[in-house]
Amino acid sequence: MKKIDLYNVLIAPLVTEKTNTVAEKNHHVVFRVLKTANKDEIKDAFEQVFSAKVKKVTVLNVKGKVKKFGKVTGKRVNWKKAYICLEPGQQFDLATNQK
């Protein structure tokens, strides 16, 4: 089994209208993660990087779309999205500047 560096598991936060409504209603945070990462690795990486307790992680594999540009057909890459549910009382805000 290959050991994954936990700081490289979380690629980028997803900030869209849908993720903002999910965050407000359900106290979730949505991240784009490595395709090879599992739920335990995502949980450990989030807790290590952001110092917040995680209640559960839900993972979703997103299929790449087929796109056309003139006569050329291409395909976008497949990627993985993680919905991270925080423990009650835990705070996480991307907008704040932490120094």
Side-chain angles (χ1 to χ4, degrees):
M1 183 172 145
K2 184 179 175 186
K3 181 100 171 141
I4 295 177
D5 184 19
L6 292 179
Y7 281 101
N8 294 328
V9 171
L10 303 173
I11 295 174
L14 291 176
V15 183
T16 62
E17 290 181 20
K18 183 177 179 181
T19 60
N20 286 337
T21 57
V22 167
E24 290 172 3
K25 290 182 181 179
N26 302 327
H27 205 61
H28 282 67
V29 180
V30 184
F31 271 85
R32 186 175 190 157
V33 295
L34 282 178
K35 287 194 292 188
T36 58
N38 60 27
K39 291 181 181 184
D40 293 330
E41 292 168 343
I42 295 167
K43 179 179 178 180
D44 293 341
F46 188 85
E47 288 178 347
Q48 182 178 352
V49 173
F50 296 107
S51 302
K53 293 289 183 184
V54 175
K55 185 176 180 181
K56 76 175 189 177
V57 176
T58 306
V59 176
L60 179 75
N61 289 313
V62 180
K63 302 290 184 192
K65 295 180 179 179
V66 176
K67 293 288 186 175
K68 284 187 175 182
F69 185 74
K71 294 181 180 179
V72 179
T73 302
K75 183 179 180 291
R76 292 187 180 170
V77 295
N78 299 333
W79 55 284
K80 188 180 269 190
K81 180 178 6 180
Y83 289 89
I84 302 170
C85 180
L86 300 177
E87 290 281 347
Q90 295 292 315
Q91 294 292 330
F92 176 78
D93 189 12
L94 287 171
T96 60
N97 188 9
Q98 299 174 358
K99 291 185 179 180

